[in-house]
């Protein structure tokens, strides 16, 4: 524990949630088998120490190892991303803010809690800085593509959020999934969507846009 000389409040350097994790919602009953497999692999395999991670380390600016807290944050986010990945576009269909909330990486500062004591109607703003740092490491490792123009400003949180981002081939490799299997899953999903679209009466142009 450390004490700030300017205030009687004490704070701890340890993270608020030492073991972030993601639990699949009970209403996710129609998940694809491949998605279920991805989630299970992400919980069993330490992707931060995978061959794909080790191979990419020299290409990053980070020289130090990933400390346990950062490693756990990256693994927790990976599981969330596996649950929400689109098998055709590889877009992760959940915002980083919601992903952080769902695996326990969001925090409320003491300053925000103090504001609620002063104003009972005040809604404290959560911080996702821990998730953001882990997310940046995943981008640096080549697992995630998240261009700046894809970001959006969250007025409530007062910070930038990654509204649109995609997992890459390296992300799947880190989970032990070969590019060939990923391609087969994409083709199978496209075939299903095409058949579903035709049965729904969509035109060729509408199917192509979809």
């Amino acid at each position: 524990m450390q004490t700030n000389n300017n205030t009687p409040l004490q704070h701890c350097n340890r993270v608020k949630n030492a073991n972030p994790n993601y639990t699949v919602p009970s209403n996710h009953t129609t998940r694809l088998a491949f998605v279920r497999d991805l989630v299970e692999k992400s919980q069993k395999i330490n992707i931060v120490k995978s061959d794909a991670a080790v191979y990419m380390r020299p290409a990053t600016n980070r020289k130090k190892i990933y400390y346990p807290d950062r490693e756990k944050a990256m693994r927790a986010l990976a599981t969330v991303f596996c649950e929400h990945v689109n098998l055709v576009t590889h877009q992760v269909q959940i915002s980083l803010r919601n992903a952080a909330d769902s695996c326990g990486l969001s925090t409320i500062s003491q300053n925000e809690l103090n504001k609620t004591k002063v104003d009972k109607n005040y809604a404290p703003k959560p911080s996702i800085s821990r998730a953001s740092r882990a997310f940046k490491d995943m981008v640096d490792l080549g697992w995630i593509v998240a261009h700046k123009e894809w970001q959006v400003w969250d007025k409530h949180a007062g910070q930038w959020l990654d509204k649109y981002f995609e997992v890459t081939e390296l992300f799947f490799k880190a989970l032990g999934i070969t590019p060939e299997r990923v391609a087969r899953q994409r083709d199978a999903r496209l075939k299903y969507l095409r058949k579903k679209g035709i049965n729904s009466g969509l035109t060729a142009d509408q199917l192509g846009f979809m």
Side-chain angles (χ1 to χ4, degrees):
M1 298 286 288
Q2 293 184 351
T3 302
N4 188 321
N5 293 329
N6 297 322
T7 175
L9 293 177
Q10 290 185 322
H11 67 274
C12 179
N13 287 330
R14 290 179 297 179
V15 297
K16 297 293 181 62
N17 183 357
N19 294 295
N21 65 84
Y22 174 74
T23 300
V24 177
S26 58
N27 62 341
H28 285 202
T29 57
T30 59
R31 301 153 69 219
L32 297 174
F34 183 64
V35 169
R36 184 168 61 249
D37 188 35
L38 287 177
V39 172
E40 291 176 353
K41 285 184 178 296
S42 72
Q43 294 171 330
K44 295 177 181 178
I45 299 173
N46 187 343
I47 61 172
V48 183
K49 295 180 179 178
S50 66
D51 290 342
V54 173
Y55 175 78
M56 287 299 297
R57 281 294 299 277
T60 68
N61 294 323
R62 186 183 181 89
K63 303 302 180 183
K64 298 180 180 180
I65 64 171
Y66 293 106
Y67 293 113
D69 288 332
R70 183 67 58 82
E71 186 175 298
K72 291 176 182 178
M74 293 167 70
R75 293 187 65 187
L77 284 179
T79 300
V80 181
F81 296 166
C82 285
E83 177 68 16
H84 293 87
V85 66
N86 183 302
L87 298 186
V88 175
T89 65
H90 294 168
Q91 174 192 1
V92 178
Q93 297 175 311
I94 186 174
S95 69
L96 184 57
R97 162 69 186 279
N98 288 339
D101 288 345
S102 67
C103 63
L105 287 174
S106 299
T107 57
I108 303 293
S109 69
Q110 186 60 51
N111 184 52
E112 286 294 302
L113 292 176
N114 290 340
K115 291 180 181 179
T116 64
K117 294 178 181 179
V118 176
D119 181 0
K120 300 300 182 181
N121 294 320
Y122 179 78
K125 298 177 182 179
S127 169
I128 61 167
S129 58
R130 187 181 176 196
S132 296
R133 289 190 292 268
F135 184 81
K136 181 181 182 303
D137 285 332
M138 297 172 81
V139 172
D140 290 343
L141 284 168
W143 296 349
I144 301 291
V145 175
H147 299 303
K148 290 183 178 179
E149 57 267 27
W150 293 351
Q151 294 182 331
V152 63
W153 178 255
D154 188 327
K155 294 181 179 180
H156 174 72
Q159 57 193 347
W160 288 98
L161 299 179
D162 291 277
K163 184 177 182 179
Y164 182 98
F165 53 96
E166 301 171 356
V167 298
T168 68
E169 184 177 293
L170 283 174
F171 178 83
F172 292 109
K173 282 186 176 181
L175 293 168
I177 306 293
T178 65
E180 292 76 17
R181 186 181 176 194
V182 173
R184 287 198 301 271
Q185 290 297 322
R186 170 179 277 175
D187 290 344
R189 190 62 180 165
L190 279 170
K191 184 177 180 180
Y192 165 77
L193 291 174
R194 183 166 58 247
K195 181 179 179 181
K196 182 180 179 181
I198 292 174
N199 291 338
S200 299
L202 296 181
T203 66
D205 287 341
Q206 289 173 323
L207 282 172
F209 180 77
M210 182 178 69

